[in-house]
Amino acid sequence: MTETPYRILGETRPGRWLVTCDHATNRVPGWVAGGDLGIAPEDMQRHIAYDPGAAGLAEALAEALDSPCILSEFSRLVIDPNRGEDDPTLVMKLYDGTIIPANRHADEAETERRLEALYRPYHAAYAALAARRADTAIVAVHSFTPCLRGRSPRPWAVGVLYSHLDDRLSRALLAELAGEPDLCVGDNEPYSGHLPGDAIDRHALRHGRHNTLIEVRNDLIATPAAQAAWAARLAPLLVRALAAAT
C-alpha cells in the first residue's frame, strides 16, 4: 500500500482558490482485488469509474486561477472520496446498470482498509490545502455523462451544484453564466448539490468557506484542447462571482 492516493499541483501558488477533483482517475490500486474490480474495460472508461475530462479541466483551471489543485489517484469505484464515511454509496456495488464484482462482498474490514489507505489520506491533504489561507474558496470540478442508461439525454452543458446551507458563490456564478447565451446551464442539475458528509460539506460548509461545485458534460471536455478552453472560459466567471459573493 505504498501508492500515493492523491496528486497536488501548484501547492505554492498564491491564489485564494483551491481546485479539487474527487473523481480524477479510474485507477485501481494493485492491492485492491489485484487491481481489477471485475468489470469490463469499457465500463472502467465510463463515468461510473471516474469523471472523464475532469482532471484536465481542474488542472487547467487551477493554473488559470494561479491556485493549487488536489486530485484523487484512485477510482471512485474503489472508494468514493466525495461521500461521507457512513454513506451507503461509499463502496458501490451497483452503478448505472453495472454490478461491481470486487465490491459485492466487501465487508467492514475491507472498507476500513480502503478508508485508511486512500480516503483518509486524500482528505487530510485536502484539509491542509484548504487551511493554508483564512479566505480559501473551494471549487470542485466534476463531469457528468450525457445520458444515463435507459434515461433521457441531459440538456445541460454545465451545472452549478450547491447546498442551501451556503449558496453565495454558486448563485453569483449562476448569474455570471446567465450571460453566456450559448450554454444550457443547470441550477443544481443534473444532481442536487446538498449531500451531507460529502467533500464540500466536510471542507467548506463546516468551515464557512466560499464554495461551488461545477459539473461539465463529459463529451464537451474530452480533449486537452477542450479542457483548456473551458478553463479559460470559467476562470474569469469564477473570479467575478467570488468578488460579488464576498
Side-chain angles (χ1 to χ4, degrees):
M1 299 187 192
T2 59
E3 301 96 335
T4 302
Y6 57 85
R7 285 189 295 129
I8 295 174
L9 303 175
E11 187 170 4
T12 60
R13 291 174 185 157
R16 179 179 175 183
W17 297 90
L18 172 58
V19 181
T20 71
C21 190
D22 297 328
H23 301 148
T25 180
N26 58 1
R27 178 175 170 271
V28 180
W31 53 268
V32 176
D36 186 342
L37 296 177
I39 65 177
E42 53 267 31
D43 275 329
M44 287 302 296
Q45 298 302 317
R46 296 175 61 219
H47 69 99
I48 65 172
Y50 74 125
D51 284 355
L57 174 57
E59 292 174 20
L61 186 59
E63 186 172 358
L65 294 170
D66 199 20
S67 296
C69 178
I70 184 168
L71 307 99
S72 67
E73 281 285 87
F74 52 93
S75 171
R76 67 192 298 173
L77 292 180
V78 174
I79 193 163
D80 193 334
N82 194 37
R83 296 292 184 270
E85 289 197 17
D86 60 349
D87 193 302
T89 65
L90 182 67
V91 177
M92 292 289 282
K93 298 177 178 4
L94 173 68
Y95 194 0
D96 194 22
T98 297
I99 294 172
I100 319 303
N103 292 347
R104 289 185 68 182
H105 304 295
D107 57 13
E108 289 186 15
E110 176 60 19
T111 299
E112 178 64 24
R113 188 170 74 124
R114 299 183 194 183
L115 282 166
E116 192 63 23
L118 301 169
Y119 179 103
R120 290 174 184 145
Y122 173 78
H123 281 288
Y126 189 148
L129 285 171
R132 80 195 195 289
R133 294 181 53 142
D135 62 350
T136 293
I138 297 174
V139 54
V141 175
H142 291 255
S143 71
F144 65 94
T145 184
C147 188
L148 292 169
R149 287 179 172 173
R151 306 285 185 88
S152 300
R154 290 162 157 174
W156 310 283
V158 59
V160 177
L161 277 57
Y162 53 89
S163 169
H164 63 282
L165 298 174
D166 184 357
D167 61 1
R168 294 170 295 166
L169 179 56
S170 294
R171 289 292 183 191
L173 180 57
L174 283 165
E176 292 291 335
L177 284 164
E180 304 286 312
D182 61 319
L183 293 182
C184 180
V185 178
D187 181 343
N188 249 349
E189 298 283 1
Y191 312 106
S192 167
H194 182 61
L195 185 63
D198 72 356
I200 286 292
D201 182 30
R202 180 172 182 163
H203 297 289
L205 297 178
R206 297 179 191 177
H207 301 273
R209 295 179 178 126
H210 279 293
N211 66 90
T212 192
L213 190 154
I214 296 174
E215 290 262 5
V216 180
R217 208 174 68 220
N218 63 32
D219 61 317
L220 300 177
I221 50 173
T223 66
Q227 294 154 17
W230 269 92
R233 187 174 196 176
L234 289 170
L237 303 182
L238 282 162
V239 170
R240 293 199 298 268
L242 184 57
T246 301

